[in-house]
C-alpha cells in the first residue's frame, strides 16, 4: 500500500472525518482498528500513519495501547488527541488525568521556528479541542511546536524521527487551518503525491469487477434508491448482462412506485432487471401486527426468503455496504462505537461471505461519495436526488397494523404532498418528506353530519446526513394546498397535521 495513509482508530467519533479530509486532499487512505498494531502496519507498508483520537485515558486499566516498539517503525506518524497522549505516555513523557474534559474552540498559536507541520499555517487560528487528559511532560527527544492562547500545549514533534502530534482535532471543520496541517503532514512530511480521485476509483472498480467476475453470474437487489441503483449501473457497465438486478415489490411502496422504478431502471438506465411482486407474502406476514420492531423483522425475513428463492444459481452476490457500516462493525472499543446490526447479515449471507462470494464495491465510500460515483456514471439528477426511503417502506408510516385500505389512503395522501413539494420547488430543498397514517380518528362535520375520519400527518425535514434533522419550514401556501387537497380528495381523511419536531429528540420516521 505504498502511497497511502493508514489511520489507526482508537474509537474517536471523528475518525471517519480524518479519512474524508485526506481523500479530499487527493490521497488514498484506509482506517484500521488500532489492534492491528506494529505487525499489521508493517504489512500494509503505508507512507504515513495517523493515530486517531479516542474516548479513553492512557491510565485506564483497559486503555487501547500500542507496543512501545511501534514508534521505531521508521514511517512518519501523526498523533491526534488521544494519539498524542498515547505516544507521550509510551515514549517516556507524562500524561495527567483531568477531572473535566476540555471541549470547544481554542486559539492555536504556532511557535518559532515554525515546524514543517505548520508550514504556511497562520500564526494564530481557531482549533477544535475535545480532550480529557493532558501531556504535562514531553517524552525525550520531543519539543513543543505550538501552544494555545492560554499557554497550554497544543502540538509537539520529534522531527528527527518524523513523529508529530496535535492535541486539537485538525479534521473538524471548526479547525480553520486543519486541512493545511493535514496537507503538510501528507505531502511535506510523508512525501506523498496525489493518487485518489473518484474517477480513478470508478475505473479501478470496473477493472477489478471485470477480473473477478469474468464468466460469472452476479446478482444484486435494487430498490430504486440511489445506492442500489448506482451499484446496478456500475455492475452493468463492468459486466453487462452477466449481472442481474432483482427488484422485489414488498407491497409497501409508494404511489405507482413499482412501475416507475422499473421503468427508470429498464428504459432510462438500460438495466437487466428481474421484477418480483411479493406484495401478498409481505402483507400476509404483517397481518394484525402493530409492534414496529416486529413489523421490521417480519419484512426482513420475507425479503430474504423471496430473494433467496429467486436467485438460486449465481456465483457472486453484490451488496451496497458503505464505509460507515464497515467501520462501525470493526471491533474497536470505546463508547463512540455502536455495533450496527445488519438486517441482511443472515446465515445465508454469512455463508457466502465465508466462501468469498460477496462483492462490496462501495465498501470504502461515504454516502455522498456514492452520489459522485453516480454522476461520473452519468446517472440523471432526478434519480440521484430521490429522497431516501426506508427498507420497510410504508409499513413504518402506518402507525397501526398494516392493511391494504390504510396503505391506499396513505399512498394517495403522500402523493398529494410530494406533488405539492414539486410544484412549489421544495422537493430538492428537503432531505425527506412524507405522509403518515395515524391510528386515531377525529371528529369532523361532513355535510351536515358529524363524522369520524382518519388523521394524516405530514413530515418534511432538512438534514445533511439523516443523523440529525430540522423540521422543514415549508411555505404556508404549500402546506395549505397539500392539506386541503388531501381532505378534498380522500374521503376517509378529515384532519391533516404537520410535524414540527426536530431530530433529536424525535426520529425522522414515526416508528
Ligand atoms: P430515523 O427515523 O431513524 O431515520 O431518524 C433516519 C433515516 O433512516 C431511514 N430509516 C430506515 N431505513 N430501514 C431502512 O432501510 C429502517 O428500518 C429505517 N428506519 C428509518 C429513514 O427514512 C431516514 O432516512
Amino acid at each position: 500500500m505504498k502511497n497511502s495513509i493508514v489511520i489507526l482508530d482508537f474509537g474517536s467519533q471523528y475518525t471517519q472525518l480524518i479519512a474524508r479530509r485526506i481523500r479530499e486532499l487527493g490521497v488514498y487512505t484506509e482506517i484500521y482498528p488500532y489492534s492491528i498494531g506494529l505487525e499489521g502496519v508493517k504489512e500494509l507498508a503505508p507512507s504515513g500513519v495517523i493515530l486517531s483520537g479516542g474516548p479513553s485515558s492512557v491510565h485506564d486499566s483497559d486503555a487501547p495501547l500500542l507496543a512501545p516498539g511501534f514508534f521505531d517503525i521508521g514511517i512518519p506518524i501523526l498523533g491526534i488527541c488521544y494519539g498524542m497522549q498515547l505516544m507521550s505516555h509510551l515514549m517516556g513523557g507524562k500524561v495527567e488525568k483531568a477531572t473535566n474534559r476540555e471541549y470547544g474552540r481554542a486559539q492555536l498559536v504556532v511557535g518559532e521556528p515554525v515546524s514543517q507541520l505548520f508550514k504556511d499555517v497562520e500564526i494564530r487560528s481557531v482549533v477544535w479541542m475535545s480532550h480529557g487528559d493532558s501531556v504535562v511532560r514531553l517524552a525525550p527527544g520531543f519539543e513543543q511546536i505550538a501552544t494555545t492562547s492560554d499557554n497550554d500545549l497544543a502540538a509537539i514533534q520529534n522531527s528527527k524521527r518524523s513523529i508529530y502530534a496535535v492535541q486539537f482535532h485538525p479534521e473538524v471543520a471548526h479547525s480553520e487551518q486543519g486541512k493545511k496541517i493535514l496537507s503538510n503532514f501528507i505531502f511535506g512530511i510523508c512525501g506523498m503525491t496525489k493518487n485518489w480521485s473518484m474517477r480513478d476509483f470508478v475505473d479501478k472498480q470496473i477493472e477489478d469487477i471485470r477480473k473477478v467476475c469474468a464468466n460469472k453470474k452476479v446478482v444484486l437487489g435494487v430498490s430504486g434508491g440511489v445506492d442500489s441503483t448506482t451499484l446496478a449501473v456500475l455492475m452493468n457497465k463492468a459486466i453487462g448482462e452477466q449481472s442481474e438486478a432483482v427488484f422485489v415489490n414488498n407491497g409497501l411502496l409508494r404511489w405507482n412506485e413499482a412501475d416507475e422504478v422499473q421503468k427508470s431502471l429498464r428504459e432510462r438506465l438500460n438495466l437487466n432487471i428481474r421484477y418480483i411482486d411479493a406484495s401478498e407474502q409481505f402483507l400476509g406476514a404483517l397481518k394484525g401486527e402493530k409492534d414496529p420492531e416486529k413489523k421490521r423483522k417480519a419484512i426482513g425475513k420475507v425479503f430474504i426468503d423471496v430473494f433467496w428463492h429467486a436467485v438460486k444459481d449465481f456465483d457472486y452476490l453484490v451488496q451496497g455496504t458503505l464505509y460507515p457500516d464497515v467501520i462501525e462493525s470493526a471491533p474497536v472499543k470505546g463508547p463512540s462505537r455502536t455495533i450496527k446490526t445488519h438486517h441482511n447479515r443472515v446465515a445465508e449471507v454469512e455463508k457466502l461471505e465465508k466462501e468469498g462470494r460477496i462483492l462490496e464495491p462501495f465498501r470504502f465510500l461515504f454516502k455522498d461519495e456514492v452520489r459522485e460515483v453516480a454522476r461520473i456514471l452519468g446517472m440523471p439528477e432526478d434519480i440521484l436526488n430521490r429522497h431516501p426511503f426506508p427498507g420497510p417502506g410504508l409499513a413504518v408510516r402506518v402507525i397501526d397494523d398494516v392493511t391494504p385500505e390504510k396503505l391506499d389512503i396513505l399512498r394517495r395522501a403522500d402523493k398529494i404532498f410530494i406533488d405539492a413539494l414539486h410544484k412549489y420547488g421544495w422537493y430538492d430543498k428537503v432531505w425527506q418528506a412524507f405522509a403518515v397514517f395515524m391510528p386515531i380518528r377525529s371528529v369532523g362535520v361532513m355535510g351536515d353530519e358529524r363524522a369520524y375520519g382518519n388523521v394524516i400527518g405530514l413530515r418534511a425535514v432538512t438534514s445533511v446526513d439523516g443523523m440529525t434533522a430540522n423540521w422543514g419550514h415549508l411555505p404556508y401556501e404549500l402546506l395549505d394546498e397539500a392539506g386541503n387537497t388531501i381532505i378534498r380528495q380522500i374521503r376517509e381523511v378529515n384532519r391533516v397535521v404537520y410535524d414540527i419536531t426536530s431530530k433529536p429528540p424525535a426520529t425522522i420516521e414515526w416508528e
Side-chain angles (χ1 to χ4, degrees):
M1 269 227 312
K2 273 277 174 250
N3 217 8
S4 78
I5 290 281
V6 162
I7 300 168
L8 289 189
D9 184 17
F10 290 88
S12 166
Q13 57 183 323
Y14 300 131
T15 304
Q16 293 186 30
L17 263 187
I18 306 174
R20 279 311 304 271
R21 294 290 168 262
I22 294 177
R23 288 190 193 175
E24 280 165 15
L25 290 165
V27 165
Y28 189 66
T29 181
E30 284 183 11
I31 301 172
Y32 291 89
Y34 77 94
S35 52
I36 69 163
L38 180 59
E39 290 313 309
V41 174
K42 268 190 185 158
E43 211 165 286
L44 293 165
S47 306
V49 177
I50 294 181
L51 311 178
S52 86
S56 312
S57 161
V58 292
H59 297 298
D60 291 345
S61 58
D62 58 350
L65 300 176
L66 292 168
F70 186 89
F71 298 95
D72 299 326
I73 193 168
I75 299 171
I77 297 172
L78 173 66
I80 294 177
C81 195
Y82 179 80
M84 165 157 150
Q85 291 144 19
L86 180 68
M87 75 169 63
S88 301
H89 177 67
L90 294 176
M91 295 176 83
K94 190 169 179 206
V95 176
E96 232 163 48
K97 208 167 175 149
T99 35
N100 291 321
R101 268 187 97 77
E102 185 186 348
Y103 185 77
R105 283 158 205 267
Q107 190 160 63
L108 175 74
V109 184
V110 173
E112 298 260 359
V114 174
S115 157
Q116 229 187 325
L117 190 65
F118 296 128
K119 187 168 177 276
D120 299 330
V121 167
E122 284 167 25
I123 297 297
R124 286 176 173 269
S125 66
V126 169
V127 290
W128 188 256
M129 289 281 189
S130 170
H131 65 107
D133 295 359
S134 301
V135 176
V136 293
R137 194 185 66 229
L138 298 187
F142 277 82
E143 58 182 323
Q144 174 172 316
I145 51 173
T147 56
T148 66
S149 51
D150 298 332
N151 233 358
D152 289 330
L153 187 60
I156 57 175
Q157 72 177 15
N158 181 333
S159 55
K160 277 203 192 92
R161 298 175 68 181
S162 283
I163 301 177
Y164 298 79
V166 291
Q167 183 57 78
F168 56 91
H169 288 274
E171 68 275 23
V172 307
H174 299 290
S175 293
E176 294 166 350
Q177 299 283 300
K179 212 160 168 179
K180 182 76 204 149
I181 294 167
L182 290 172
S183 156
N184 283 340
F185 176 69
I186 290 164
F187 300 114
I189 295 165
C190 301
M192 297 183 70
T193 46
K194 288 193 181 194
N195 63 352
W196 166 272
S197 81
M198 203 49 92
R199 197 166 282 280
D200 295 342
F201 170 82
V202 171
D203 291 345
K204 173 92 174 45
Q205 283 297 324
I206 290 177
E207 198 185 304
D208 287 354
I209 293 166
R210 281 187 184 144
K211 254 189 235 150
V212 174
C213 303
N215 304 317
K216 304 279 189 213
K217 184 174 173 212
V218 178
V219 291
L220 72 152
V222 279
S223 65
V226 183
D227 297 351
S228 66
T229 307
T230 308
L231 198 55
V233 172
L234 179 77
M235 294 309 295
N236 185 55
K237 189 148 189 168
I239 53 172
E241 297 282 304
Q242 273 166 258
S243 149
E244 182 177 50
V246 179
F247 173 41
V248 176
N249 180 352
N250 59 10
L252 302 163
L253 301 175
R254 287 163 290 187
W255 182 268
N256 211 21
E257 191 170 14
D259 286 347
E260 277 170 13
V261 167
Q262 283 187 79
K263 213 165 159 181
S264 75
L265 295 179
R266 284 207 179 103
E267 291 171 18
R268 298 177 65 198
L269 299 170
N270 290 318
L271 296 176
N272 174 21
I273 301 292
R274 170 131 51 120
Y275 173 69
I276 300 170
D277 185 355
S279 308
E280 280 185 19
Q281 247 168 292
F282 281 92
L283 294 185
L286 284 171
K287 204 163 188 172
E289 187 55 68
K290 295 187 181 212
D291 181 281
E293 281 313 305
K294 285 188 184 150
K295 284 193 215 170
R296 278 191 169 81
K297 285 218 171 77
I299 293 164
K301 186 173 177 319
V302 178
F303 181 82
I304 292 295
D305 287 349
V306 170
F307 189 82
W308 232 247
H309 186 73
V311 298
K312 274 185 233 107
D313 304 316
F314 63 91
D315 299 297
Y316 289 106
L317 172 70
V318 187
Q319 290 204 307
T321 316
L322 299 186
Y323 204 32
D325 305 321
V326 175
I327 303 299
E328 286 180 25
S329 312
V332 175
K333 61 204 282 342
S336 75
R337 288 285 170 244
T338 45
I339 307 294
K340 264 201 178 163
T341 50
H342 292 259
H343 73 273
N344 50 2
R345 282 284 184 269
V346 294
E348 290 89 335
V349 175
E350 274 172 6
K351 184 163 169 281
L352 288 180
E353 214 158 30
K354 279 198 194 109
E355 294 166 356
R357 291 169 61 199
I358 301 269
L359 302 179
E360 298 175 317
F362 293 165
R363 69 194 308 271
F364 291 119
L365 298 188
F366 293 95
K367 180 111 189 154
D368 53 328
E369 290 179 317
V370 174
R371 283 216 166 96
E372 224 180 307
V373 171
R375 285 203 180 91
I376 289 170
L377 292 170
M379 282 167 57
E381 288 289 318
D382 63 312
I383 294 182
L384 223 135
N385 292 329
R386 281 185 58 160
H387 289 173
F389 186 61
L394 299 182
V396 293
R397 295 179 183 171
V398 171
I399 315 303
D400 210 350
D401 57 328
V402 179
T403 64
E405 294 74 29
K406 290 174 197 165
L407 285 172
D408 178 58
I409 294 171
L410 179 57
R411 276 190 186 111
R412 287 191 282 152
D414 190 73
K415 173 162 172 35
I416 291 168
F417 185 37
I418 298 296
D419 283 349
L421 283 159
H422 280 298
K423 178 173 165 190
Y424 284 82
W426 269 81
Y427 184 87
D428 289 333
K429 289 188 198 162
V430 295
W431 163 268
Q432 230 174 333
F434 52 88
V436 180
F437 181 96
M438 308 221 188
I440 43 175
R441 298 204 145 221
S442 90
V443 72
V445 272
M446 294 268 191
D448 286 336
E449 278 176 48
R450 284 168 76 79
Y452 285 91
N454 294 112
V455 182
I456 285 287
L458 300 180
R459 178 134 173 88
V461 296
T462 53
S463 176
V464 181
D465 50 15
M467 305 293 282
T468 58
N470 209 348
W471 63 274
H473 294 213
L474 300 182
Y476 284 154
E477 304 77 53
L478 190 170
L479 287 170
D480 190 49
E481 182 168 322
N484 279 325
T485 313
I486 289 170
I487 300 286
R488 229 182 19 252
Q489 295 190 0
I490 310 177
R491 192 178 39 81
E492 298 89 337
V493 178
N494 70 347
R495 200 174 290 263
V496 175
V497 297
Y498 187 57
D499 182 350
I500 54 162
T501 36
S502 293
K503 172 183 178 176
T507 48
I508 295 176
E509 303 291 343
W510 276 43
E511 277 198 349

